Every structure is written in structure tokens, then in C-alpha cells.
Amino acid sequence: YIQQQGTGDLIIENTTDDKDIIFQSDDGTGSVTEYFRLDGGTTSIVVSASLGMYFNDGIAARFGNSGDFIAFHDGVDSFLSNDVGDVTIRNNANDKDIRLQTDNGSGLVTDYILLDGSDVSTKILTQKVILSNLPTSDPNNAGQLYNESGFLRVSAG
């Protein structure tokens, strides 16, 4: 046990240059393994446990100085929330894709929207696309979809 009884902070410190503070425990097989460490050489926290880090239901993972980007799971639904600036989803791998997937109604997970990095295209891969709230007249913006008496049109601008 390490216990602080009194006032002030509890400080665990390693002052050896480029060395770590390592947290280890039994791994269920009788062996001792590293679960995480404070890496003094890279000033990072390295999670080493094979199943990663768990946050209990209702506990948010917050990022940024003000905790303004949040990943949250309430036990049923999951949320990503950003309070400032843009949210950018980026894939830097050459000729690779970004896929938006979900269950297809029969127990299989399938792509619904594919941002194809090798074809430089956006593909909607569902059998139907519902476009609600389209303008009812030509909005005078080239390439914009609009509804004209029940017909889907593309404006010339």
C-alpha cells in the first residue's frame, strides 16, 4: 500500500535521466507483466496491457487543456463530442480509405459510405439514399441538388 494521510500531494518521482516508472502486476498466468509506464525518455504514457485501457460506463475520456474533446459511452450509446474548432478525420496511409460502417439489418457489418483514397471518390454504398429538406427551387449554385415538383435536379449554376 502507498497511502497519503495528511495534507499535500503524494509524489512518486524518478529523477534518473531517460528512465521510466513502470506499473506491473500478475497477468493471470502467474507471470508478472507491465500494464503501463510513464516513459521518461519520450515523456509519454505507454499502455502495455493487451486489452488496452477501459473506461467504465458513464466515464468520459477528455482531451485538450479544457477537456473539450470527449469520447463517452453511457452503457448503451457512444458519443464523440467537440466543443471548439473543427473535427477532422484523416487517413494518412497511401491509397487507403475511410469507411463508415454499421450493421446491415441481418447481423453483418457493412460499408455505408466509403471515402476512397485510391480512386479519390466518395461512394454511397446503400440501396437507397434519403435526401430530406432539399430546396424546392434552383438555388443557383452549380452542382447543388434540389427538388422541382418531385423531381431530383442538379443545378447548373
Side-chain angles (χ1 to χ4, degrees), residues 90-121:
R90 176 183 298 159
N91 183 354
N92 290 320
N94 190 37
D95 290 337
K96 295 299 178 184
D97 308 326
I98 294 176
R99 300 170 181 273
L100 296 178
Q101 301 177 330
T102 193
D103 178 78
N104 66 2
S106 63
L108 300 173
V109 175
T110 189
D111 292 341
Y112 277 66
I113 298 175
L114 175 68
L115 306 179
D116 190 321
S118 59
D119 192 35
V120 190
S121 63

Side-chain angles (χ1 to χ4, degrees), residues 132-154:
S132 58
N133 299 321
L134 285 176
T136 55
S137 62
D138 183 346
N140 295 317
N141 291 322
Q144 188 170 26
L145 296 175
Y146 67 97
N147 177 0
E148 183 180 79
S149 302
F151 291 96
L152 182 63
R153 306 277 188 206
V154 179

Side-chain angles (χ1 to χ4, degrees), residues 36-116:
F36 70 97
R37 69 184 135 90
L38 309 179
D39 190 315
T42 62
T43 62
S44 61
I45 299 172
V46 178
V47 176
S48 309
S50 61
L51 295 178
M53 185 179 293
Y54 283 82
F55 291 82
N56 289 334
D57 292 343
I59 303 298
R62 294 179 175 268
F63 302 89
N65 289 345
S66 300
D68 41 26
F69 181 74
I70 302 165
F72 180 77
H73 179 73
D74 64 9
V76 177
D77 297 313
S78 300
F79 306 88
L80 294 177
S81 176
N82 184 49
D83 294 337
V84 297
D86 296 329
V87 174
T88 300
I89 299 172
R90 176 183 298 159
N91 183 354
N92 290 320
N94 190 37
D95 290 337
K96 295 299 178 184
D97 308 326
I98 294 176
R99 300 170 181 273
L100 296 178
Q101 301 177 330
T102 193
D103 178 78
N104 66 2
S106 63
L108 300 173
V109 175
T110 189
D111 292 341
Y112 277 66
I113 298 175
L114 175 68
L115 306 179
D116 190 321

Side-chain angles (χ1 to χ4, degrees), residues 2-12:
I2 298 175
Q3 186 177 48
Q4 164 65 308
Q5 293 183 5
T7 60
D9 299 325
L10 171 65
I11 298 172
I12 300 172

